[in-house]
Amino acid sequence: MELQEIARRIRVDIITMLEKSQSGHPGGSLSSVEILTALYFKEMKIDPTNPKWEDRDRFVLSKGHGTPVIYGALAERGFFPREELNNFRKIDSMLQGHPDMKGTPGIDMTTGSLGQGLAAANGMALAGKLDNKDYRVYAIIGDGECQEGLIWEAAMLAAHYKLDNLAVFLDHNGLQIDGRNKDIMNIDPIDEKFKAFGWNVLHIDGHSFDEILDALAKAKTTKGMPTIIIAKTFKGKGVSFMENQVGWHGKAPSNEEANKAIEELGGGLDD
């Protein structure tokens, strides 16, 4: 299946999950669909039949409130049946509002408190080096998350230990729950900051599969430093009335809104 069609299916699943649960975060889930699709369907060395395979590549969704996108990707990749998506955010479901590494096949790290995921990814990457393993570690952080001090402590550590087996995507959509990042707490020049901390810095269109995959290839050949891939994205990407709208950071669509969104995305899924 083409990556574009997989991404479309994941977007439909995101909208469906949120409409059914009447809870969740559509904006930042839709903004990172192409990144997750490229990682889980083109890049990462994983085995859905053996989620805890020791030599697998690792992934950390540091902005943990964006679970709909990773649940959609994991279901599409075969880590669990798509029917489980109907239980998103329900009591005792394996699919809680934030990732749970003990409850969901394919989740490598429990996250939620912003800023902590990058530190955990550092630990995985450092462990890989100490154990002479060749797996790689990937993570997504949010741009609002870069207002957290922990991000910069982790950035300093990753460079200090020369974690070149770590590639981090910055989902740079420019919005957070209270408004535009630059109005709440400006993070720019974000590229110069990561450079100053000793990172290899790349800029891409976060909705272009060609640019995502090219950046991942460049990260693999970069030695002696971690890579940050600053991905320009749009919050709510793919749904006209959600796109670049701060109000859709953490609001579920009504049935009517969900139907309109799915129609814009090209219709529902047959399976």
Side-chain angles (χ1 to χ4, degrees):
M1 191 181 299
E2 295 291 331
L3 293 179
Q4 291 287 1
E5 174 58 14
I6 296 171
R8 186 191 80 82
R9 293 170 63 88
I10 292 173
R11 282 197 163 90
V12 171
D13 279 336
I14 289 171
I15 297 298
T16 304
M17 268 184 273
L18 268 66
E19 190 276 328
K20 286 182 180 295
S21 68
Q22 280 302 290
S23 178
H25 296 77
S29 298
L30 292 167
S31 69
S32 50
V33 168
E34 280 76 14
I35 297 170
L36 266 292
T37 302
L39 285 172
Y40 277 89
F41 292 87
K42 206 70 175 179
E43 183 68 18
M44 289 174 62
K45 181 177 62 177
I46 50 178
D47 180 359
T49 67
N50 186 10
K52 298 295 186 184
W53 175 35
E54 187 177 353
D55 293 328
R56 73 191 184 284
D57 290 337
R58 273 69 166 170
F59 174 76
V60 178
L61 182 68
S62 190
K63 51 170 208 167
H65 54 278
T67 43
V69 65
I70 192 170
Y71 292 161
L74 290 173
E76 188 70 27
R77 193 69 174 80
F79 281 86
F80 51 78
R82 167 168 284 105
E83 290 72 22
E84 286 291 337
L85 299 179
N86 295 326
N87 298 318
F88 175 60
R89 282 193 172 228
K90 290 183 179 177
I91 293 175
D92 294 331
S93 164
M94 72 160 67
L95 305 182
Q96 291 301 302
H98 290 84
D100 178 2
M101 62 187 291
K102 294 183 177 179
T104 311
I107 295 294
D108 289 318
M109 187 65 208
T110 300
T111 57
S113 184
L114 293 177
Q116 294 184 348
L118 181 55
N122 281 348
M124 294 175 184
L126 183 57
K129 284 187 170 291
L130 293 172
D131 292 340
N132 291 316
K133 296 288 188 178
D134 65 357
Y135 67 74
R136 294 184 60 77
V137 181
Y138 301 95
I140 293 182
I141 61 175
D143 47 9
E145 194 178 9
C146 288
Q147 297 161 342
E148 301 279 347
L150 182 51
I151 286 288
W152 301 105
E153 294 178 52
M156 186 162 49
L157 184 143
H160 177 80
Y161 287 103
K162 305 182 189 309
L163 300 181
D164 51 15
N165 55 346
L166 171 67
V168 178
F169 284 91
L170 169 58
D171 183 1
H172 200 2
N173 57 51
L175 299 177
Q176 60 186 104
I177 190 170
D178 292 320
R180 298 184 302 174
N181 294 333
K182 65 181 182 180
D183 296 330
I184 306 299
M185 180 72 77
N186 194 3
I187 64 171
D188 290 326
I190 192 68
D191 50 355
E192 294 299 327
K193 289 173 181 170
F194 273 101
K195 284 180 185 175
F197 273 73
W199 285 58
N200 174 42
V201 178
L202 303 173
H203 285 273
I204 64 166
D205 174 347
H207 300 302
S208 164
F209 286 117
D210 288 343
E211 293 192 28
I212 294 168
L213 294 172
D214 181 61
L216 288 167
K218 289 176 179 173
K220 275 184 179 175
T221 59
T222 298
K223 301 303 179 186
M225 61 176 65
T227 292
I228 179 82
I229 302 169
I230 300 174
K232 177 69 185 79
T233 61
F234 290 94
K235 206 150 188 166
K237 176 69 175 178
V239 179
S240 63
F241 57 91
M242 293 184 178
E243 201 163 302
N244 211 28
Q245 297 297 315
V246 69
W248 286 101
H249 174 92
K251 184 178 74 170
S254 65
N255 180 261
E256 182 180 354
E257 289 167 333
N259 288 337
K260 181 180 179 185
I262 291 171
E263 182 179 350
E264 286 187 10
L265 292 168
L269 308 182
D270 294 330
D271 57 359

